[in-house]
Amino acid sequence: MTVPTGGPIRSPLGEAVALLRSDAPGSITSNPSSWPRWAVLLPHVLTATSLAITDTEPNSRDVAVQTSWLLDGAATYLHEHGRLQKAKPLFERALRIDETIYGPDHPSVATGLSNLALVLQDLGDPAAARPLLERAQRIDETTHGPDHPEVATKLNNLAMVLQDLGDPAGARPLLERTLHIDETTHGPDHPEVATDLNNLALALHDLGDPATARPLLERTLHIYETTHGPDHPEVATDLNNLAMVLRDLGDSATARPLLERALHIYETTYGPDHPTVAATLNNLAVVLEDLGDPAAARPLLERTLHIAEPPTAGTTPPSPPD
């Protein structure tokens, strides 16, 4: 019998994480096409990554790298589906592994810090998220320079945390810098630019300037629909945000069909019990009340109460994470 040579020596754990790593889709955020495969792989990923990696493990560094990637992917999938409490410890463990492998100032650590911060933000703790994103931004600026797209991503995420902390004035210059970096890097019609426009519009809205926010959101909608098609969750996010700006401009009648379309997209994408569905139900109920139809608003609010982690009325669903 011929014994194969030249390949890596792997234990059963090493084989398992390598096979899962090769099979699991890498693009998860706002990418529904990858979710069915992740739904199948998730229990296997959670089992494999729950096992401790010891120094005696063959090729232990490679196993650790693959384990971190799988933990981050599983956490991102759970985050996308509103299972925030389950996502948080997976992101935390992935971050610890990356800090051990790469040291505290590596770009992979910056990504892990950012991902954990986004979950903390969505769990209602932007104060805990802020220092993680500030550290991530410092790492990326030191590594890549001030005008790199990774810096723009961290600036964008930090700005949205500042928004949640009630500081849209502090968020605005970060978002303007982010928009400049991404337009210079990608051109004016890239989805990253659309995300920046959306988030800058939210800051302007919170600063009491919905009239300036409106054309930014209209431009965002055009980019997303052109890039992703009419039924993508990022399209729904912008429809929701544009609707709330129109409401503040006194045009709830125009806002209503945008919210109804956003709700349909979210329910189709995430199912009926996702936190983002709850946020949209709330916003639609607020608009219906504006239009003098509290009877139609009431069942929407009652349904919101049955969805886990319901937001308050009039809130905006989270922007797509980067």
Side-chain angles (χ1 to χ4, degrees), residues 113-221:
L113 289 164
S114 182
N115 290 343
L116 177 57
L118 291 175
V119 166
L120 290 169
Q121 180 186 13
D122 286 349
L123 283 168
D125 195 0
R130 180 176 183 170
L132 303 187
L133 287 167
E134 289 172 337
R135 181 182 160 200
Q137 181 196 344
R138 287 194 298 271
I139 292 171
D140 278 344
E141 289 205 53
T142 301
T143 304
H144 302 299
D147 299 318
H148 193 275
E150 286 296 329
V151 174
T153 296
K154 306 310 187 295
L155 286 168
N156 177 81
N157 293 342
L158 177 58
M160 300 316 293
V161 163
L162 292 175
Q163 284 274 99
D164 283 357
L165 289 169
D167 187 12
R172 180 176 180 173
L174 303 187
L175 291 166
E176 290 171 337
R177 182 180 163 199
T178 298
L179 179 61
H180 174 73
I181 293 171
D182 283 338
E183 285 187 314
T184 301
T185 303
H186 303 299
D189 300 317
H190 192 274
E192 291 292 339
V193 171
T195 298
D196 301 339
L197 289 165
N198 175 81
N199 293 344
L200 179 57
L202 294 180
L204 292 167
H205 186 197
D206 288 351
L207 287 167
D209 192 1
T212 303
R214 179 178 180 173
L216 302 187
L217 290 169
E218 290 170 338
R219 182 181 161 198
T220 300
L221 183 60

Side-chain angles (χ1 to χ4, degrees), residues 18-259:
L19 288 170
L20 289 166
R21 171 66 178 85
S22 67
D23 195 13
S27 177
I28 304 168
T29 301
S30 297
N31 184 22
S33 65
S34 72
W35 298 346
R37 190 60 190 154
W38 264 103
V40 172
L41 293 176
L42 182 64
H44 306 288
V45 169
L46 294 178
T47 298
T49 58
S50 70
L51 302 174
I53 304 168
T54 68
D55 291 339
T56 60
E57 177 76 29
N59 295 293
S60 59
R61 188 179 189 278
D62 289 343
V63 174
V65 169
Q66 292 172 330
T67 296
S68 173
W69 189 93
L70 289 168
L71 285 164
D72 184 84
T76 301
Y77 173 80
L78 291 166
H79 188 186
E80 282 287 287
H81 289 79
R83 297 159 67 182
L84 307 179
Q85 293 289 358
K86 291 186 179 296
K88 179 185 172 186
L90 303 186
F91 277 134
E92 289 171 335
R93 186 165 172 232
L95 177 60
R96 287 195 299 271
I97 292 172
D98 285 345
E99 287 181 316
T100 300
I101 294 171
Y102 302 117
D105 300 317
H106 191 275
S108 293
V109 171
T111 299
L113 289 164
S114 182
N115 290 343
L116 177 57
L118 291 175
V119 166
L120 290 169
Q121 180 186 13
D122 286 349
L123 283 168
D125 195 0
R130 180 176 183 170
L132 303 187
L133 287 167
E134 289 172 337
R135 181 182 160 200
Q137 181 196 344
R138 287 194 298 271
I139 292 171
D140 278 344
E141 289 205 53
T142 301
T143 304
H144 302 299
D147 299 318
H148 193 275
E150 286 296 329
V151 174
T153 296
K154 306 310 187 295
L155 286 168
N156 177 81
N157 293 342
L158 177 58
M160 300 316 293
V161 163
L162 292 175
Q163 284 274 99
D164 283 357
L165 289 169
D167 187 12
R172 180 176 180 173
L174 303 187
L175 291 166
E176 290 171 337
R177 182 180 163 199
T178 298
L179 179 61
H180 174 73
I181 293 171
D182 283 338
E183 285 187 314
T184 301
T185 303
H186 303 299
D189 300 317
H190 192 274
E192 291 292 339
V193 171
T195 298
D196 301 339
L197 289 165
N198 175 81
N199 293 344
L200 179 57
L202 294 180
L204 292 167
H205 186 197
D206 288 351
L207 287 167
D209 192 1
T212 303
R214 179 178 180 173
L216 302 187
L217 290 169
E218 290 170 338
R219 182 181 161 198
T220 300
L221 183 60
H222 174 73
I223 295 171
Y224 279 153
E225 288 187 314
T226 301
T227 304
H228 300 307
D231 300 318
H232 193 275
E234 288 180 337
V235 171
T237 296
D238 191 67
L239 287 166
N240 178 91
N241 294 341
L242 178 57
M244 300 316 288
V245 163
L246 289 168
R247 176 186 179 246
D248 282 0
L249 289 169
D251 193 359
S252 292
T254 303
R256 178 178 179 173
L258 303 187
L259 287 167

Side-chain angles (χ1 to χ4, degrees), residues 10-19 57-58 63 66:
R10 291 182 178 139
S11 67
L13 174 59
E15 289 287 355
V17 296
L19 288 170
E57 177 76 29
V63 174
Q66 292 172 330

